[in-house]
Amino acid sequence: MIVVTDATPLRYLVFIGEVGVLPALFGTVFTVPEVLAELGRSTSAPLEPVRRWAADPPAWLRVQAPLRVDESLRRHLDPGEAEAIALAQELGADRILLDETRGRRLAKELAEAERIAGRSSWHVAGTLAVLEEAAVRGLIEIEAVIDTLRGTKYRATESIYQQMIERVRERKNG
């Protein structure tokens, strides 16, 4: 499985101490140099662990620049998102991890265009989907992780968290 990630899923997974679920779920994960640079530019003191992690990323994170980035991506997205989507296209990724609404919407549109053209395409997921899958596989305890995530600036409603906890229960018991 080829997985490409943008900065936000990495930032929050590192910040809450659960970045290890990525290699456990996917093996090698790809990102672009701009994502690591973005993580390294985090200026908030609580994000120091994220800066340290980005300065010395683990072996399972493969950093690769795309050969080409479509200008329409650059016009509508931040550089990390645009490059991550371009890399996902180049690699024929199975999944791309994005949390920002605009990036997710554009990635879904591109994925649908690929499917319509008869080519394989990626599934768009984000931090919460990664945590849900990790919980279903028994890698994390979802309630504890959600409690930790609530203490960050991650933007999700209480309803979304509760629905996720219920889905995990159903999938584990179903």
Side-chain angles (χ1 to χ4, degrees), residues 13 18 21 24-25 127-146 164-173:
L13 291 170
E18 298 296 346
V21 301
L25 293 172
T127 302
L128 296 180
V130 169
L131 293 173
E132 182 175 326
E133 189 61 32
V136 168
R137 294 193 192 182
L139 301 172
I140 61 170
E141 183 58 46
I142 195 63
E143 289 88 353
V145 171
I146 292 298
M164 187 173 132
I165 290 168
E166 286 303 314
R167 278 193 311 273
V168 168
R169 287 183 186 143
E170 289 171 9
R171 290 177 65 194
K172 286 177 98 172
N173 296 327

Side-chain angles (χ1 to χ4, degrees), residues 7 11 16 23 29 39 54 59 88 97-100 106 108 110-112 118 125-126 140 146-147 150 163-164 173:
R11 178 181 296 114
I16 66 171
V29 175
L39 295 174
L97 306 178
L98 297 160
D99 280 331
E100 289 79 9
L106 190 51
K108 286 178 181 179
L110 291 170
E112 183 60 24
I140 61 170
I146 292 298
D147 283 344
R150 282 183 184 118
Q163 290 170 18
M164 187 173 132
N173 296 327

